[in-house]
């Protein structure tokens, strides 16, 4: 016959309190206890029936070794003991975790509760719709969505997830994700001069969108040249930063950028982000009722 309980030294400390004796209580007195089920003959994880002893054996893999935690009259008794271990509780939590559409909806609700924004993708060819999240159909298992982030010049993998929304939520919780959300939520600047107002109106007449940014001017690729008291438009082309021109206002520089192919592409990305996040960031700047004195 197999021993009804392992010796104190044969199991790790986390399992010492699970040692079975004839008088051991295996009832589910804890309402929060969840039994870990499995697709096997016993119906429970790590529980097998031994024909020789005619009991249900509980064995758990710990530290690369298979540990025997006891023999029980019923599979349920063994499952209760396993459910009380740290490993059993971790498996129970994973078992209760939502999957598929439920997991995606759960991630979206979690973002709303935490006041986070799931950052939409910048690229047109994104297959997930979320920034830094890719879908790897060849990945084994159910976690096929990968979160990758650029840090210190290196592309780092930050985990695999069952849905794109779960990966996007993980990114939204990072400092980088929060910074992206702040940029998306930032309102468009208000033009302050007649030339600036005319530039905004001209963009509307041409059907163009001024590309916003979180920099000091409020517009992408537009900076202030303090020496010349002008706004400078610079774009990166062929691996180099090139100056396109100097302008009297940020809006005039932004209009010049909006007319370029790169500016049109950035405007499309900005509009997609705005539609995905229901943020007003892609709307044209609000025009003042009158110019400041």
């Amino acid at each position: 016959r197999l021993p009804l309980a392992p010796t104190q030294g044969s199991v790790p400390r986390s399992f010492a309190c699970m040692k079975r004796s004839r008088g051991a209580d295996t009832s589910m007195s804890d309402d929060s206890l969840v039994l870990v089920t499995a697709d096997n003959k016993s119906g429970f994880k790590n529980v097998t029936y031994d024909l020789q002893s005619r009991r249900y054996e509980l064995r758990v893999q710990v530290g690369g070794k298979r540990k025997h935690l006891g023999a029980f009259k019923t599979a349920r008794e063994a499952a209760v003991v396993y459910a009380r271990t740290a490993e059993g509780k971790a498996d129970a939590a994973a078992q209760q975790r939502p999957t598929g559409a439920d997991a995606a909806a759960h991630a979206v609700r979690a973002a709303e509760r935490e006041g986070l924004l799931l950052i939409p993708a910048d690229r047109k060819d994104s297959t997930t719709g979320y920034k830094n999240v890719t879908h790897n159909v060849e990945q084994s298992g159910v976690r096929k969505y990968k979160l990758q982030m650029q840090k210190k010049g290196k592309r780092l993998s930050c985990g695999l997830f069952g849905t794109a929304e779960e990966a996007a939520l993980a990114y939204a919780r990072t400092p980088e994700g929060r910074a992206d959300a702040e940029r998306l939520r930032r309102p468009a600047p208000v033009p302050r001069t007649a030339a600036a107002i005319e530039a905004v109106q001209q963009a509307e007449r041409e059907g163009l969108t001024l590309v916003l940014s979180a920099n000091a001017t409020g517009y992408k690729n537009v900076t202030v040249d303090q020496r010349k008291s002008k706004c400078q438009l610079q774009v990166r082309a062929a691996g180099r930063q090139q100056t396109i021109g100097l302008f009297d206002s940020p809006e005039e520089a932004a209009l010049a950028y909006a007319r370029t192919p790169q500016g049109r592409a950035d405007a499309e990305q900005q509009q997609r982000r705005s539609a995905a996040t229901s943020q007003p960031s892609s709307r044209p700047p609000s025009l003042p009722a009158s110019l400041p004195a």
Side-chain angles (χ1 to χ4, degrees):
R1 292 172 58 86
L2 293 175
L4 295 182
T7 60
Q8 181 73 23
S10 64
V11 294
R13 182 175 297 177
S14 63
F15 289 119
C17 63
M18 296 299 147
K19 186 173 68 173
R20 178 122 173 4
S21 65
R22 289 184 180 273
D25 179 17
T26 58
S27 63
M28 293 180 60
S29 57
D30 188 349
D31 293 337
S32 64
L33 202 62
V34 177
L35 303 186
V36 183
T37 59
D39 186 17
N40 58 23
K41 292 183 179 180
S42 73
F44 298 104
K45 184 174 181 179
N46 293 326
V47 178
T48 58
Y49 184 72
D50 183 75
L51 291 174
Q52 184 178 359
S53 64
R54 295 184 180 181
R55 286 179 175 266
Y56 287 90
E57 306 287 335
L58 175 60
R59 290 184 172 85
V60 181
Q61 194 80 12
V62 179
K65 295 182 178 180
R66 194 74 170 165
K67 299 295 183 180
H68 179 262
L69 299 186
F72 305 84
K73 290 182 180 180
T74 67
R76 187 179 182 82
E77 287 181 308
V80 168
V81 171
Y82 179 62
R84 287 173 175 161
T85 68
E87 289 73 7
K89 291 177 181 178
D91 284 342
Q95 177 177 277
Q96 292 182 299
R97 192 175 297 128
T99 59
D102 290 339
H106 180 78
V108 172
R109 290 193 297 269
E112 293 174 353
R113 287 194 303 270
E114 297 175 32
L116 300 174
L117 187 64
L118 302 185
I119 308 301
D122 292 329
R123 299 176 55 178
K124 292 182 180 180
D125 59 351
S126 171
T127 58
T128 66
Y130 296 103
K131 184 175 181 180
N132 292 331
V133 179
T134 56
H135 183 208
N136 186 1
V137 295
E138 297 180 357
Q139 176 70 37
S140 60
V142 296
R143 298 188 177 186
K144 297 181 181 293
Y145 292 89
K146 179 184 288 187
L147 174 61
Q148 292 179 303
M149 294 173 56
Q150 195 79 15
K151 289 188 176 182
K152 296 182 179 180
K154 295 183 179 181
R155 192 73 170 168
L156 302 179
S157 177
C158 300
L160 293 172
F161 302 85
T163 66
E165 287 76 10
E166 289 174 290
L169 176 60
Y171 178 65
R173 287 168 170 163
T174 66
E176 292 82 358
R178 293 177 185 273
D180 283 343
E182 183 181 350
R183 284 192 289 269
L184 288 174
R185 287 169 170 155
R186 186 167 298 176
V190 178
R192 299 296 181 185
T193 66
I197 293 175
E198 174 59 27
V200 172
Q201 293 174 337
Q202 184 60 32
E204 292 178 356
R205 287 192 290 268
E206 297 180 28
L208 299 174
T209 299
L210 304 185
V211 183
L212 305 180
S213 177
N215 59 26
T217 67
Y219 295 100
K220 185 173 183 178
N221 292 330
V222 179
T223 57
V224 176
D225 189 330
Q226 300 291 351
R227 294 175 301 174
K228 300 179 181 180
S229 298
K230 295 280 187 178
C231 291
Q232 183 174 249
L233 173 61
Q234 290 183 312
V235 298
R236 192 164 190 83
R240 301 179 63 182
Q241 197 77 359
Q242 299 180 5
T243 299
I244 304 300
L246 296 173
F247 302 85
D248 292 328
S249 68
E251 288 76 10
E252 291 173 278
L255 175 60
Y257 180 63
R259 288 168 171 161
T260 65
Q262 185 178 348
R264 292 177 186 271
D266 284 343
E268 289 180 6
Q269 293 175 359
Q270 177 175 284
Q271 289 170 335
R272 287 198 301 274
R273 289 196 300 266
S274 178
T277 60
S278 300
Q279 296 297 326
S281 59
S282 65
R283 297 185 307 185
S286 301
L287 299 178
S290 60
L291 291 177

